[in-house]
PDB file of all heavy atoms in Angstrom:
ATOM      1  N   SER K  23     120.569 110.886 142.790  1.00 65.00           N
ATOM      2  CA  SER K  23     121.273 111.900 141.982  1.00 65.00           C
ATOM      3  C   SER K  23     121.950 111.191 140.837  1.00 65.00           C
ATOM      4  O   SER K  23     122.140 111.874 139.625  1.00 65.00           O
ATOM      5  CB  SER K  23     122.388 112.656 142.869  1.00 65.00           C
ATOM      6  OG  SER K  23     123.258 111.629 143.404  1.00 65.00           O
ATOM      7  N   SER K  24     122.317 110.067 141.096  1.00 64.00           N
ATOM      8  CA  SER K  24     123.036 109.356 139.906  1.00 64.00           C
ATOM      9  C   SER K  24     121.992 109.054 138.741  1.00 64.00           C
ATOM     10  O   SER K  24     122.313 109.186 137.609  1.00 64.00           O
ATOM     11  CB  SER K  24     123.572 107.936 140.238  1.00 64.00           C
ATOM     12  OG  SER K  24     124.723 108.091 141.255  1.00 64.00           O
ATOM     13  N   TYR K  25     120.779 108.638 139.172  1.00 56.00           N
ATOM     14  CA  TYR K  25     119.748 108.547 138.171  1.00 56.00           C
ATOM     15  C   TYR K  25     119.503 109.757 137.360  1.00 56.00           C
ATOM     16  O   TYR K  25     119.496 109.770 136.145  1.00 56.00           O
ATOM     17  CB  TYR K  25     118.354 108.234 138.820  1.00 56.00           C
ATOM     18  CG  TYR K  25     118.277 106.845 139.229  1.00 56.00           C
ATOM     19  CD1 TYR K  25     117.183 106.468 140.308  1.00 56.00           C
ATOM     20  CD2 TYR K  25     118.996 105.728 138.731  1.00 56.00           C
ATOM     21  CE1 TYR K  25     117.036 105.196 140.743  1.00 56.00           C
ATOM     22  CE2 TYR K  25     118.724 104.476 139.295  1.00 56.00           C
ATOM     23  CZ  TYR K  25     117.842 104.127 140.268  1.00 56.00           C
ATOM     24  OH  TYR K  25     117.713 102.921 140.742  1.00 56.00           O
ATOM     25  N   VAL K  26     119.395 110.899 138.061  1.00 59.00           N
ATOM     26  CA  VAL K  26     119.216 112.228 137.365  1.00 59.00           C
ATOM     27  C   VAL K  26     120.358 112.489 136.412  1.00 59.00           C
ATOM     28  O   VAL K  26     120.125 113.009 135.215  1.00 59.00           O
ATOM     29  CB  VAL K  26     119.007 113.391 138.456  1.00 59.00           C
ATOM     30  CG1 VAL K  26     119.114 114.772 137.734  1.00 59.00           C
ATOM     31  CG2 VAL K  26     117.743 113.036 139.181  1.00 59.00           C
ATOM     32  N   THR K  27     121.517 112.182 136.867  1.00 66.00           N
ATOM     33  CA  THR K  27     122.786 112.428 135.955  1.00 66.00           C
ATOM     34  C   THR K  27     122.752 111.717 134.720  1.00 66.00           C
ATOM     35  O   THR K  27     122.902 112.068 133.647  1.00 66.00           O
ATOM     36  CB  THR K  27     124.151 112.120 136.734  1.00 66.00           C
ATOM     37  OG1 THR K  27     124.140 112.866 137.909  1.00 66.00           O
ATOM     38  CG2 THR K  27     125.240 112.397 135.879  1.00 66.00           C
ATOM     39  N   VAL K  28     122.312 110.372 134.870  1.00 59.00           N
ATOM     40  CA  VAL K  28     122.280 109.451 133.709  1.00 59.00           C
ATOM     41  C   VAL K  28     121.185 109.938 132.750  1.00 59.00           C
ATOM     42  O   VAL K  28     121.480 109.976 131.593  1.00 59.00           O
ATOM     43  CB  VAL K  28     121.961 107.938 134.098  1.00 59.00           C
ATOM     44  CG1 VAL K  28     121.534 107.178 132.926  1.00 59.00           C
ATOM     45  CG2 VAL K  28     123.172 107.410 134.794  1.00 59.00           C
ATOM     46  N   LEU K  29     119.951 110.322 133.295  1.00 64.00           N
ATOM     47  CA  LEU K  29     118.899 110.750 132.458  1.00 64.00           C
ATOM     48  C   LEU K  29     119.247 112.032 131.744  1.00 64.00           C
ATOM     49  O   LEU K  29     118.948 112.283 130.515  1.00 64.00           O
ATOM     50  CB  LEU K  29     117.637 111.070 133.311  1.00 64.00           C
ATOM     51  CG  LEU K  29     116.889 109.839 133.695  1.00 64.00           C
ATOM     52  CD1 LEU K  29     115.772 110.251 134.710  1.00 64.00           C
ATOM     53  CD2 LEU K  29     116.420 109.039 132.563  1.00 64.00           C
ATOM     54  N   PHE K  30     120.033 112.926 132.369  1.00 64.00           N
ATOM     55  CA  PHE K  30     120.555 114.062 131.741  1.00 64.00           C
ATOM     56  C   PHE K  30     121.371 113.873 130.403  1.00 64.00           C
ATOM     57  O   PHE K  30     121.182 114.316 129.511  1.00 64.00           O
ATOM     58  CB  PHE K  30     121.351 115.015 132.773  1.00 64.00           C
ATOM     59  CG  PHE K  30     121.974 116.238 132.147  1.00 64.00           C
ATOM     60  CD1 PHE K  30     121.304 117.304 131.710  1.00 64.00           C
ATOM     61  CD2 PHE K  30     123.291 116.177 131.758  1.00 64.00           C
ATOM     62  CE1 PHE K  30     121.894 118.462 131.114  1.00 64.00           C
ATOM     63  CE2 PHE K  30     123.986 117.181 131.197  1.00 64.00           C
ATOM     64  CZ  PHE K  30     123.327 118.332 130.893  1.00 64.00           C
ATOM     65  N   TYR K  31     122.305 112.865 130.721  1.00 57.00           N
ATOM     66  CA  TYR K  31     123.304 112.631 129.596  1.00 57.00           C
ATOM     67  C   TYR K  31     122.633 111.811 128.437  1.00 57.00           C
ATOM     68  O   TYR K  31     122.840 111.970 127.369  1.00 57.00           O
ATOM     69  CB  TYR K  31     124.519 111.794 130.095  1.00 57.00           C
ATOM     70  CG  TYR K  31     125.493 112.768 130.741  1.00 57.00           C
ATOM     71  CD1 TYR K  31     125.688 112.666 132.242  1.00 57.00           C
ATOM     72  CD2 TYR K  31     126.239 113.573 129.965  1.00 57.00           C
ATOM     73  CE1 TYR K  31     126.511 113.574 132.741  1.00 57.00           C
ATOM     74  CE2 TYR K  31     127.222 114.385 130.587  1.00 57.00           C
ATOM     75  CZ  TYR K  31     127.273 114.419 132.021  1.00 57.00           C
ATOM     76  OH  TYR K  31     128.308 115.272 132.583  1.00 57.00           O
ATOM     77  N   VAL K  32     121.594 111.036 128.828  1.00 58.00           N
ATOM     78  CA  VAL K  32     120.863 110.231 127.856  1.00 58.00           C
ATOM     79  C   VAL K  32     120.045 111.239 126.924  1.00 58.00           C
ATOM     80  O   VAL K  32     120.125 111.163 125.752  1.00 58.00           O
ATOM     81  CB  VAL K  32     119.892 109.264 128.377  1.00 58.00           C
ATOM     82  CG1 VAL K  32     118.761 108.688 127.509  1.00 58.00           C
ATOM     83  CG2 VAL K  32     120.685 108.151 128.993  1.00 58.00           C
TER      84      VAL K  32
END
Side-chain angles (χ1 to χ4, degrees):
S23 61
S24 296
Y25 283 161
V26 172
T27 301
V28 169
L29 287 174
F30 171 79
Y31 282 109
V32 167

